[in-house]
């Protein structure tokens, strides 16, 4: 029982060690950060016309032979002010790595499908990388891997360092207290700081940096690509970022990145709500710019209600959309409703609490009153009758007798009146 308990406690301690020791920062390479391949003290030799180095190269002390053969996309510094500063900063960075404490002590044989997580790994003697060594960033683009090797480092033919889940070549460091040999057709990803010679054998590829504090450099038909940290763009807005639908704002400041909309131009015009930013990406990872949140307020609804067809002598009430903050009618009135008695086009602008406005209009029609005239024999004999008729074509009639026909027959003296109503609902009256 005691043995099981001790084993369990040991496992917990081993699990906690990386978390305790790994809150350490990688070294600052200073002036050496622009060099893809550099030695502070040693000869520099290039063989093979297909050698291509993207980044600066040079030596501070020693003979320099290269380019041609090979091609360098960058600057060459040999025993000048730049190389002197780089040599100083490289020695400081090597010393900084020496002070970083170990997180885990691991075997000197790396690779063969081995998966390692961010940590500080110490290897007590000369080491090798065989097959694939997989570095898993666990989704963190800022994850750091540091390997401290107390001896030489050699990678075998066709071996590879593979970076997964956000791991970046710019955050992988190999401090090697000895010579480094990268095998033929191998792939190495990371920053080598060696206290010894660095040899890239035929067709070896290095994504990162090969830096020696004391030792010769040898290249042979290699591809070396310097890792460049991304620089975040800074976005600015041309005006207010909260506005009404139909307006827009220009967001500027993209330098070599991609907007969250997918555009790669220096600026974009935004007319919709959203969170906008730029992502700058290099071979060392990605970084986002400041975020600008744009809010586009919808325009208020605008409708006019009321009786749009009135009769001569009448009036009607026109009302705009309720709950607006303010109104401005074409008549100059500023109330929600207005009363009109003339034909015409009436418009209104409604403004909401956000200051957004919409306009709408309505046409009021003024209908003339129908003609009303009673015809017929207005004098009759005792016992006789007469027919009274009003003008034809009305929609309806209402006689004082209660009848609703165009004509009525009467046989008694008196005053007879009628109301005629047309198809528009307008009415006139007359009597006889």
């Amino acid at each position: 029982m005691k043995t099981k308990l001790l084993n369990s406690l040991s496992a917990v301690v081993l699990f906690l060690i990386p978390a305790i020791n790994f809150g350490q920062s990688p070294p600052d390479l200073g002036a050496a950060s622009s060099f893809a391949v550099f030695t502070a003290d040693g000869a520099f030799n290039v063989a093979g016309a297909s050698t291509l180095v993207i980044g600066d190269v040079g030596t501070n002390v020693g003979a320099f032979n290269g380019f041609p053969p090979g091609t360098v996309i960058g600057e060459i510094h040999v025993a000048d002010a730049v190389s002197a500063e780089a040599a100083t900063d490289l020695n400081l960075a090597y010393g900084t790595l020496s002070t970083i404490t170990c997180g885990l002590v691991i075997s000197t044989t790396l690779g063969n499908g081995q998966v390692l997580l961010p940590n500080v790994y110490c290897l007590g003697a000369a080491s090798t990388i065989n097959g694939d060594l997989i570095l898993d960033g666990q989704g963190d683009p800022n994850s750091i891997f540091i390997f401290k090797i107390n001896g030489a480092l050699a990678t075998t033919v066709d071996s590879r360092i593979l970076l997964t889940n956000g791991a970046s070549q710019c955050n992988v460091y190999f401090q090697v207290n000895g010579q480094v040999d990268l095998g033929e057709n191998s792939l190495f990803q990371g920053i080598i700081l060696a206290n010894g010679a660095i040899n890239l054998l035929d067709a070896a590829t290095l994504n990162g940096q090969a830096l020696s504090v004391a030792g010769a450099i040898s290249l042979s038909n290699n591809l070396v690509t310097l890792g460049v940290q991304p620089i975040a763009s800074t976005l600015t807005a041309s005006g207010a970022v909260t506005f009404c639908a139909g307006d827009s704002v220009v967001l500027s400041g993209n330098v070599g990145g991609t907007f969250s909309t997918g555009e790669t131009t220096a600026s974009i015009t935004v007319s919709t709500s959203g969170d906008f930013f730029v992502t700058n990406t290099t071979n060392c990872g990605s970084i986002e710019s400041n975020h600008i949140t744009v809010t586009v307020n919808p325009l208020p609804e605008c409708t006019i209600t009321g009786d749009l067809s009135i009769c001569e002598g009448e009036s009607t009430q026109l009302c705009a959309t309720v709950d607006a903050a303010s109104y401005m009618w074409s008549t100059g009135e500023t109330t929600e409703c207005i009363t009109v008695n003339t034909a015409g086009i009436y418009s209104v602008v409604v403004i909401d609490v956000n200051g957004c406005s919409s306009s709408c209009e309505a046409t009021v029609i003024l209908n003339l009153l129908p003609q009303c005239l009673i015809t017929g024999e207005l004098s009759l004999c005792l016992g006789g009758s007469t027919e009274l008729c009003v003008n034809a074509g009305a929609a309806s009639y209402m006689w004082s007798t209660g009848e609703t026909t165009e004509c009525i027959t009467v046989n008694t003296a008196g005053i007879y009146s009628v109301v005629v109503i047309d198809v528009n609902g307008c009415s006139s009256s007359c009597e006889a």
Side-chain angles (χ1 to χ4, degrees):
M1 182 67 180
K2 181 182 291 186
T3 301
K4 289 184 178 180
L5 179 59
L6 289 173
N7 288 338
S8 298
L9 289 173
S10 297
V12 170
V13 170
L14 288 173
F15 177 77
L16 291 175
I17 284 175
I20 294 171
N21 288 328
F22 196 55
Q24 303 171 90
S25 300
D28 180 4
L29 295 176
S33 60
S34 67
F35 284 87
V37 186
F38 177 76
T39 175
D41 186 358
F44 194 118
N45 186 67
V46 179
S50 63
T51 295
L52 171 62
V53 178
I54 301 174
D56 295 345
V57 297
T59 177
N60 190 48
V61 178
F64 186 90
N65 174 38
F67 311 111
T71 303
V72 61
I73 302 176
E75 298 180 354
I76 299 174
H77 294 280
V78 178
D80 59 14
V82 175
S83 67
E85 185 178 0
T88 299
D89 291 345
L90 176 58
N91 277 279
L92 289 173
Y94 190 92
T96 298
L97 279 173
S98 299
T99 65
I100 294 178
T101 56
C102 299
L104 284 177
V105 177
I106 59 175
S107 169
T108 56
T109 301
L110 300 170
N112 297 315
Q114 182 181 21
V115 178
L116 295 178
L117 303 181
N119 212 324
V120 179
Y121 296 98
C122 288
L123 297 84
S127 305
T128 59
I129 298 176
N130 306 306
D132 290 344
L133 171 61
I134 302 167
L135 305 182
D136 183 350
Q138 296 186 299
D140 180 6
N142 297 313
S143 57
I144 306 294
F145 298 81
I146 297 176
F147 295 86
K148 301 177 63 172
I149 302 173
N150 190 22
L153 172 65
T155 70
T156 59
V157 175
D158 296 325
S159 62
R160 301 183 302 175
I161 294 179
L162 302 179
L163 308 177
T164 63
N165 293 327
S168 166
Q169 68 184 67
C170 292
N171 293 330
V172 177
Y173 296 84
F174 282 82
Q175 183 194 38
V176 182
N177 187 22
Q179 180 170 307
V180 176
D181 295 304
L182 303 187
E184 295 180 1
N185 295 305
S186 63
L187 170 63
F188 194 98
Q189 302 197 78
I191 301 169
I192 300 169
L193 290 86
N195 183 23
I198 301 177
N199 302 307
L200 277 65
L201 303 183
D202 195 61
T205 296
L206 168 61
N207 293 332
Q209 295 172 270
L211 310 173
S212 174
V213 296
I217 299 287
S218 175
L219 305 180
S220 177
N221 294 312
N222 308 116
L223 172 61
V224 181
T225 304
L226 173 69
V228 178
Q229 293 284 359
I231 299 174
S233 297
T234 301
L235 292 184
T236 58
S238 62
V241 294
T242 297
F243 49 82
C244 303
D247 291 337
S248 62
V249 64
V250 177
L251 304 183
S252 304
N254 176 25
V255 180
T258 302
F259 276 97
S260 48
T261 59
E263 295 165 278
T264 57
T265 51
S267 62
I268 60 173
T269 300
V270 174
S271 58
T272 58
S273 297
D275 177 29
F276 298 89
F277 56 93
V278 167
T279 301
N280 288 88
T281 302
T282 67
N283 52 8
C284 278
S286 299
I287 191 170
E288 291 182 357
S289 70
N290 56 306
H291 289 229
I292 294 180
T293 299
V294 174
T295 301
V296 180
N297 295 311
L299 301 182
E301 182 183 358
C302 185
T303 56
I304 296 176
T305 59
D307 190 351
L308 303 182
S309 179
I310 60 175
C311 301
E312 186 178 10
E314 294 181 344
S315 63
T316 185
Q317 188 179 61
L318 302 180
C319 292
T321 309
V322 298
D323 296 330
S326 62
Y327 306 86
M328 179 57 69
W329 288 90
S330 53
T331 61
E333 295 166 277
T334 58
T335 54
E336 178 186 333
C337 298
I338 61 173
T339 300
V340 300
N341 56 16
T342 58
I345 299 174
Y346 296 87
S347 63
V348 64
V349 176
V350 294
I351 304 171
D352 65 15
V353 292
N354 296 314
C356 299
S357 62
S358 295
S359 63
C360 51
E361 63 180 31
T363 301
V364 174
I365 299 173
L366 183 65
N367 299 299
L368 297 178
L369 300 182
Q371 184 179 7
C372 184
L373 178 64
I374 298 174
T375 60
E377 180 60 56
L378 301 182
S379 178
L380 55 84
C381 299
L382 185 64
S385 64
T386 185
E387 184 178 60
L388 301 179
C389 292
V390 74
N391 47 290
S396 63
Y397 307 88
M398 180 58 67
W399 289 89
S400 54
T401 61
E403 295 167 279
T404 59
T405 55
E406 178 186 334
C407 298
I408 61 172
T409 299
V410 298
N411 54 17
T412 59
I415 298 175
Y416 294 88
S417 63
V418 64
V419 176
V420 293
I421 305 171
D422 65 14
V423 292
N424 297 312
C426 298
S427 62
S428 294
S429 62
C430 52
E431 63 180 28

